[in-house]
Amino acid sequence: MTPLRLADGPVEFLSGLYISFWLPGLVLGAALAIKLPSIVKLWRDPLLRAVGGLLLLACMVFVFAAPGTIAWTNRVIGVPNIAAPWVYSLITALSASWLLLVVHWRGGGHTDRRERTRRATRWVVSVYATVVVALWVLFALADVPVEQIEDLDTYYASTPFMREEILLYLVVHTVACLITARLIWTWIRTDGLDGWLRWGLRFLSVGYVTNLLFSAAKFTAIVARWTGHDLDWLNTNVAPSAACIGATMVAVGVIVPHAGQYLQERLLVRRRRRGLKPLARLLRPVAGRHEPFVLRAAPEIRLIRRETYIRDALLQLSRHLDEDLRRRAHAAALALGAEPGRAQALAVAVTILDAVESGRRVPEGDGAADPDTTYLLREIHAVSGVLRRPDEIKAVRARAAVPAESMSAHE
């Protein structure tokens, strides 16, 4: 096969351009597999059902629109070109699923819009179901004896009834693309959207605009046939490539919000666990053991175990903390310009360091009141964070070591 070169001319280059039907099928299948657990778990959610239906129908379109599958369908059923109304019906159903997705999104689960959403759903289903029935009736009336695998739309562009069938499925597909692309673009500009959702919507909008190129290429090739010209390469090469790219963008648009939020949450959990490492390492002598570690544990479980390990050690250490030192360290941190929240974390960190390094123990039964451990156990992330700044800790400890009277006199 001769490699494509743009220098051969734009028509020759575009005529040779072709993207496999199986690539978008695989991407759409991956998107469906990612969303399937949520769809099954929350089956009563109409929006999730609409997403699932869209992905399933899109997968079916690319499976049955592949040239090999078209030939297989015609051969198995034994009717020339019987795959055409079947693929057109799937494309029509897919177009309806785009509109249903937008209808349920606009409904948003609001009670006052529920009846309006039901009416719109019934309208879309009834109109597109009627179109599907019309496609099969028109095919039954048409005379299409010569099997066409890849260029049926242009080959039968002037054939009575088949011509109307081809125009019908293209019109409903184009209308669905225009409406969906317009509403999604409006959605993108809504304030307060999650960043991952906004990116997903951008991919969706690109996908639907690219699907419009599919319709434009088909219409142009058909009109060229009517006027005695040959632009069949638009139908056999450009239109399928546009459909494949568009479907891939739609699949990516569905995947991005789910996968992005999932990865972001995992990254946040791992970051929080790493942030606790300085405090966990400092408290190891107090705990008297290493932090438990399970290789196959989920990141969330590892975070919980590290937090539990730290809090257990702090509870052991809490009655041995020097509250006077904590107050002096807090005043020192504020004097050095720390914000109140950070000053509190610095004061606790200095107190913990002092207790661990000195190995101080308060004698049992000395009448000391139980310390307030609320902040100590709640703000372990803030305390661990300041332990990463040894210079700041050193400055606070040095200033806190000066007696209060000396500090006041100096100031």
Side-chain angles (χ1 to χ4, degrees), residues 282-302:
L282 175 63
L283 293 171
R284 190 177 298 165
V286 179
R289 58 185 175 87
H290 286 278
E291 177 187 352
F293 178 79
V294 179
L295 183 62
R296 303 176 72 88
E300 294 84 358
I301 300 299
R302 292 182 183 178

Side-chain angles (χ1 to χ4, degrees), residues 177-200:
C177 275
L178 286 170
I179 295 174
T180 309
R182 171 61 181 168
L183 291 175
I184 285 179
W185 186 247
T186 303
W187 190 3
I188 291 174
R189 292 181 291 177
T190 303
D191 294 332
L193 279 185
D194 173 76
W196 290 110
L197 177 58
R198 196 182 299 276
W199 271 107

Side-chain angles (χ1 to χ4, degrees), residues 72-301:
W72 176 84
T73 304
N74 292 336
R75 184 175 66 254
V76 169
I77 298 179
V79 177
N81 299 310
I82 190 65
W86 171 240
V87 173
Y88 296 163
S89 298
L90 288 175
I91 293 174
T92 302
L94 176 61
S95 302
S97 73
W98 295 342
L99 293 175
L100 289 176
L101 181 64
V102 174
V103 164
H104 289 296
W105 165 70
R106 287 174 67 90
H110 298 293
T111 306
D112 56 336
R113 298 181 185 175
R114 192 169 297 166
E115 186 56 37
R116 189 188 308 172
T117 300
R118 287 199 188 101
R119 286 199 304 269
T121 300
R122 287 195 294 268
W123 184 85
V124 171
V125 171
S126 60
V127 168
Y128 278 78
T130 302
V131 171
V132 169
V133 172
L135 291 173
W136 286 95
V137 171
L138 289 169
F139 180 78
L141 296 173
D143 182 19
V144 287
V146 181
E147 183 181 52
Q148 296 296 317
I149 303 299
E150 297 183 8
D151 57 350
L152 184 142
D153 290 356
T154 49
Y155 187 87
Y156 288 111
S158 301
T159 302
F161 299 112
M162 197 64 196
R163 172 186 56 217
E164 286 75 12
E165 175 172 5
I166 294 167
L167 291 177
L168 179 60
Y169 98 85
L170 285 175
V171 166
V172 296
H173 174 270
T174 304
V175 169
C177 275
L178 286 170
I179 295 174
T180 309
R182 171 61 181 168
L183 291 175
I184 285 179
W185 186 247
T186 303
W187 190 3
I188 291 174
R189 292 181 291 177
T190 303
D191 294 332
L193 279 185
D194 173 76
W196 290 110
L197 177 58
R198 196 182 299 276
W199 271 107
L201 291 172
R202 285 170 179 159
F203 280 109
L204 285 174
S205 64
V206 171
Y208 290 122
V209 169
T210 309
N211 268 289
L212 287 174
L213 295 179
F214 164 84
S215 296
K218 290 272 187 181
F219 277 125
T220 303
I222 290 169
V223 171
R225 274 295 184 113
W226 292 346
T227 57
H229 298 85
D230 183 1
L231 293 178
D232 289 4
W233 55 273
L234 289 173
N235 175 51
T236 55
N237 297 94
V238 175
S241 297
C244 292
I245 294 171
T248 303
M249 291 296 102
V250 169
V252 171
V254 172
I255 291 173
V256 162
H258 185 281
Q261 290 170 3
Y262 173 80
L263 293 175
Q264 185 174 2
E265 290 170 2
R266 283 301 182 95
L267 182 62
L268 178 61
V269 168
R270 292 178 186 275
R271 188 178 298 163
R272 285 175 65 83
R273 184 176 180 273
R274 285 197 304 269
L276 289 174
K277 189 174 181 179
L279 186 54
R281 184 185 297 142
L282 175 63
L283 293 171
R284 190 177 298 165
V286 179
R289 58 185 175 87
H290 286 278
E291 177 187 352
F293 178 79
V294 179
L295 183 62
R296 303 176 72 88
E300 294 84 358
I301 300 299

Side-chain angles (χ1 to χ4, degrees), residues 386-410:
V386 298
L387 287 172
R388 293 180 177 274
R389 302 295 299 272
D391 293 341
E392 196 171 0
I393 293 284
K394 185 177 179 180
V396 172
R397 293 185 78 178
R399 191 177 183 93
V402 179
E405 296 81 2
S406 301
M407 217 164 30
S408 299
H410 179 73

Side-chain angles (χ1 to χ4, degrees), residues 317-381:
L317 192 66
S318 60
R319 298 191 70 242
H320 312 311
L321 299 178
D322 187 343
E323 284 297 308
D324 183 58
L325 173 62
R326 186 190 64 79
R327 284 189 291 271
R328 294 201 313 272
H330 184 257
L334 290 173
L336 289 170
E339 295 293 329
R342 188 167 183 83
Q344 194 172 12
L346 283 164
V348 173
V350 166
T351 310
I352 293 173
L353 274 167
D354 178 74
V356 172
E357 291 175 359
S358 65
R360 186 194 314 106
R361 293 292 180 266
V362 178
E364 295 293 337
D366 66 348
D370 290 336
D372 182 7
T373 59
T374 303
Y375 177 84
L376 184 66
L377 300 180
R378 187 182 66 235
E379 301 298 334
I380 57 176
H381 290 276

